């Protein structure tokens, strides 16, 4: 969709739809022409619109403006909206307009008080509007009719040059989210490790500053990635490590490491059959890394970024790892595998060691749909944020608060480490039923003690289960990209 910023006088602004968000307590903005105000006031007085939250009402051929329709949107009884409520409202309106005849919609920024500045409203508003228009129709035999809405304009009475840039940033983040959603929604028979490698190569060809390296399963085994190989060898699909390096600046890089389990049966520790189809989303961490790389490239951020995706299928083939097997990781530490369904931490631990040994990053953030325990703890609203550095943890949490892609801080205390003790190896890959998300993070921390590191457990946020809304969410691309943009702005 095309986005624009305008301060053209409303009587001259041609559009199919002029959107006026109003609370039940607010008065009509002075920016509306008198004739339009009178029409809307009469409509409200007649009882056709109350301003209740979520209410929408159409007025056709309104007097005083060039737009062919007015859409009144109820914001409830609050005179000021918080940012999250504003974004939800905007997303709902965008979804509504996707099914209508309007080709060009104009959102009036001046009619609503939001506890965020205009640049934030336009930036995050563009992102949410674009995300609401997302569709995944690749596998339908008859492609549904395309949405009519092609252009969205944010209108502000006074000119503001910064709003155009803000909208561009929002659209770039939405493009990253869309890529993450596309990868997540693909079926596992089409989206497997080598497919992800191919998509990385495509990105490398598209963006000049992005280079791509693929480490095959055989190469990984030869290098000493015993934990990664233990997972990958259970499938006839070859696993691989995908390394994408973006050089927008010199110096030590920041690194993103994504879990790319393109399908997770649980291995020999087989999962229950119910909802197992959703295990195609177990590469949500990898998808978010791909999406973040795309946004960084689109915005040409002045940062040095190394993104690593550990891609594999977790299958119960005859060559699959057994519970009780002991493997040696790239770091030299040994792991007793008690449950083959705790495979994400196994592919990640070797990827974490690899990026530290080869690229010497100043910061490492891994992202993974790691544990069902995280879903039990936090549900689907917030991703768990673990970090061995308070400043890094807070920076990620703040990025989430800014975008509405929220996280929640979790403990990484040494007290939990004893749950990983093994009588036969340096550690075991599960810590028992208590604090499952925490002990998984503690396992990964053993491979990232010497670097500023954070772990995002996105098992509850990477996709929506069941019903018509089922599908990949694109999270935490907004959080990650806001963190990276902030990092770039800090120099």
């Amino acid at each position: 969709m095309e986005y624009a910023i305008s301060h053209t006088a409303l009587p001259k602004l041609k559009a199919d739809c002029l959107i006026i968000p109003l609370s039940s307590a607010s008065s009509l903005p002075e920016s509306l022409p008198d004739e339009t105000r009178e029409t809307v006031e009469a409509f409200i007085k007649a009882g056709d619109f109350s301003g209740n939250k979520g209410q929408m009402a159409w007025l056709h051929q309104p007097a005083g403006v060039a737009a062919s329709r007015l859409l009144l949107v109820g914001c409830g009884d609050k005179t000021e909206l918080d940012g999250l409520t504003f974004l939800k409202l905007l997303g709902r309106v965008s979804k509504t307009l996707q099914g209508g005849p309007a080709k060009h919609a104009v959102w009036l920024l001046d009619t609503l008080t939001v506890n965020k500045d205009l640049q934030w409203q336009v930036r995050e508003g563009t992102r949410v509007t674009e995300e609401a228009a997302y569709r995944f129709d690749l596998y339908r035999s008859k492609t549904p009719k395309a949405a009519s809405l092609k252009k969205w304009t944010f209108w502000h009475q006074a000119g503001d040059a910064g709003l155009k840039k803000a909208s561009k940033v929002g659209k770039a983040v939405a493009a990253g989210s869309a890529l993450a959603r596309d990868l997540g929604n693909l079926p596992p028979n089409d989206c497997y490790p080598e497919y992800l490698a191919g998509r990385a190569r495509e990105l490398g060809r598209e963006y000049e500053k992005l280079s791509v390296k693929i480490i095959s399963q055989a190469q990984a085994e030869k290098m000493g990635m015993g934990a990664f190989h233990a997972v990958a060898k259970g499938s006839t699909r070859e696993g691989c490590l995908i390394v994408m390096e973006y050089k927008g600046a010199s110096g030590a890089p920041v690194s993103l490491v994504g879990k790319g389990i393109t399908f997770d049966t649980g291995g020999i520790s087989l999962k229950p059959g119910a909802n197992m189809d959703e295990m195609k989303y177990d590469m949500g961490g990898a998808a978010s890394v791909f999406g973040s790389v795309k946004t960084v490239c689109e915005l040409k951020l002045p940062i040095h970024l190394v993104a690593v995706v550990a891609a594999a299928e977790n299958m119960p083939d005859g060559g699959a790892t057994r519970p009780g097997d002991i493997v040696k990781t790239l770091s030299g530490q040994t792991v007793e595998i008690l449950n083959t369904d705790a495979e994400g931490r196994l592919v990640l631990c070797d990827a974490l060691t690899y990026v530290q040994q080869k690229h010497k990053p100043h910061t490492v953030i891994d992202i993974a749909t790691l544990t069902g325990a995280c879903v039990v703890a936090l549900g689907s609203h917030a991703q768990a944020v673990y970090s061995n550095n308070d400043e890094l943890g807070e920076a990620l949490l703040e990025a989430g608060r800014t975008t509405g892609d929220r996280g929640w801080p979790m403990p990484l205390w040494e007290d939990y480490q004893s749950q990983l003790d093994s009588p036969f190896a340096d550690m075991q890959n599960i810590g028992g039923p208590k604090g499952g998300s925490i002990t998984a993070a503690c396992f990964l921390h053993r491979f990232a003690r010497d670097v500023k590191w954070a772990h995002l457990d996105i098992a509850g946020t990477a996709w929506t289960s069941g019903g018509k809304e089922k599908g990949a969410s694109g999270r935490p691309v907004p959080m990650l990209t806001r963190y990276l943009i902030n990092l770039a702005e800090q120099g």
Side-chain angles (χ1 to χ4, degrees):
M1 191 151 53
E2 178 187 352
Y3 292 87
I5 310 298
S6 177
H7 60 277
T8 300
L10 292 178
K12 298 180 179 180
L13 182 58
K14 293 182 180 181
D16 299 301
C17 176
L18 205 62
I19 306 164
I20 306 177
L22 292 170
S23 73
S24 56
S26 64
S27 56
L28 290 169
E30 295 294 332
S31 54
L32 282 174
D34 290 342
E35 291 176 85
T36 313
R37 289 168 59 86
E38 290 170 6
T39 300
V40 175
E41 285 170 351
F43 187 77
I44 294 173
K45 189 174 181 180
D48 292 296
F49 182 78
S50 63
N52 289 336
K53 188 176 180 180
Q55 183 186 13
M56 297 186 196
W58 291 94
L59 282 79
H60 292 266
Q61 302 302 322
V65 293
S68 56
R69 303 172 185 80
L70 295 183
L71 176 59
L72 305 183
V73 179
C75 304
D77 57 3
K78 294 183 179 179
T79 56
E80 181 178 89
L81 296 187
D82 63 79
L84 198 58
T85 302
F86 169 78
L87 294 181
K88 287 180 178 178
L89 180 72
L90 202 59
R92 193 179 304 120
V93 172
S94 177
K95 272 191 176 296
T96 298
L97 291 177
Q98 299 304 316
K103 296 180 180 180
H104 178 199
V106 179
W107 178 280
L108 300 191
L109 290 167
D110 296 350
T111 68
L112 191 62
T113 302
V114 182
N115 68 349
K116 301 287 187 179
D117 62 37
L118 285 176
Q119 290 199 16
W120 181 93
Q121 291 179 50
V122 169
R123 185 187 73 229
E124 301 303 327
T126 298
R127 174 179 66 83
V128 167
T129 302
E130 187 75 2
E131 288 177 349
Y134 174 84
R135 292 165 58 160
F136 188 77
D137 297 323
L138 184 62
Y139 290 86
R140 299 185 187 277
S141 59
K142 295 181 180 179
T143 304
K145 182 181 176 182
S148 298
L149 189 63
K150 303 298 182 185
K151 184 176 181 180
W152 186 284
T153 296
F154 288 98
W155 187 88
H156 177 44
Q157 189 170 20
D160 187 335
L163 297 185
K164 187 175 182 180
K165 180 181 177 181
S167 184
K168 180 182 177 182
V169 172
K171 188 170 182 180
V173 175
S177 293
L179 174 57
R181 293 170 82 175
D182 283 347
L183 293 175
N185 287 329
L186 284 168
N189 56 314
D190 284 347
C191 184
Y192 45 88
E194 184 52 38
Y195 174 83
L196 290 180
R199 291 299 296 265
R201 293 186 185 101
E202 287 178 9
L203 285 175
R205 289 190 291 269
E206 184 177 356
Y207 298 106
E208 183 181 355
K209 293 183 179 180
L210 186 68
S211 60
V212 176
K213 177 182 179 181
I214 309 299
I215 300 171
S216 71
Q217 181 175 322
Q219 289 172 324
E221 181 185 16
K222 188 175 181 180
M223 292 168 65
M225 298 186 194
F228 172 82
H229 184 251
V231 177
K233 71 189 181 75
S235 173
T236 55
R237 297 281 194 188
E238 290 284 312
C240 60
L241 253 69
I242 302 164
V243 184
M244 296 175 280
E245 184 172 12
Y246 168 82
K247 289 186 177 179
S250 58
V254 58
S255 178
L256 301 180
V257 178
K259 173 187 172 184
I261 301 297
T262 56
F263 193 77
D264 182 18
T265 66
I268 298 298
S269 305
L270 195 68
K271 290 178 179 290
N275 300 319
M276 195 192 280
D277 63 291
E278 295 187 1
M279 287 302 96
K280 70 176 186 176
Y281 297 118
D282 208 22
M283 41 69 71
S288 72
V289 169
F290 270 86
S292 297
V293 168
K294 182 174 181 64
T295 296
V296 167
C297 291
E298 284 286 317
L299 294 176
K300 300 179 181 178
L301 291 184
I303 61 172
H304 184 190
L305 171 68
V306 174
V308 179
V309 167
E313 280 189 330
N314 188 26
M315 301 289 282
D317 185 84
T321 295
R322 299 158 291 258
D325 284 359
I326 294 176
V327 297
K328 187 176 182 180
T329 68
L330 182 60
S331 71
Q333 300 176 88
T334 57
V335 180
E336 181 186 14
I337 299 173
L338 297 185
N339 189 322
T340 64
D341 193 26
E343 85 297 329
R345 65 202 71 181
L346 295 175
V347 299
L348 284 173
C349 71
D350 278 342
L352 286 169
T353 301
Y354 170 82
V355 78
Q356 290 173 78
Q357 289 182 352
K358 299 296 183 181
H359 294 278
K360 312 297 183 187
H362 60 76
T363 302
V364 178
I365 302 165
D366 75 69
I367 312 99
T369 51
L370 206 62
T371 65
C374 183
V375 186
V376 174
L378 297 177
S380 60
H381 299 292
Q383 46 245 357
V385 178
Y386 296 88
S387 184
N388 62 4
N389 181 280
D390 290 342
E391 184 181 354
L392 173 59
E394 179 54 32
L396 288 166
L397 292 167
E398 179 57 28
R401 288 190 288 266
T402 299
T403 59
D405 184 15
R406 295 174 294 177
W408 191 255
M410 298 287 278
L412 197 65
W413 304 334
E414 286 296 315
D415 309 56
Y416 293 98
Q417 286 286 356
S418 61
Q419 290 178 233
L420 296 170
D421 289 346
S422 165
F424 305 112
D426 294 331
M427 69 195 85
Q428 57 195 34
N429 75 325
I430 56 173
K434 296 181 180 180
S437 178
I438 300 171
T439 53
C442 286
F443 178 95
L444 294 175
H445 189 205
R446 294 191 180 203
F447 300 86
R449 290 193 181 275
D450 299 325
V451 68
K452 189 162 64 172
W453 164 81
H455 160 63
L456 304 182
D457 192 336
I458 61 169
T461 61
W463 77 93
T464 301
S465 295
K468 293 182 179 180
E469 298 300 316
K470 180 177 179 178
S473 68
R475 297 178 66 184
V477 171
M479 172 192 274
L480 291 171
T481 53
R482 176 46 39 189
Y483 165 78
L484 293 172
I485 291 168
N486 290 344
L487 194 67
E489 290 175 348
Q490 293 165 10

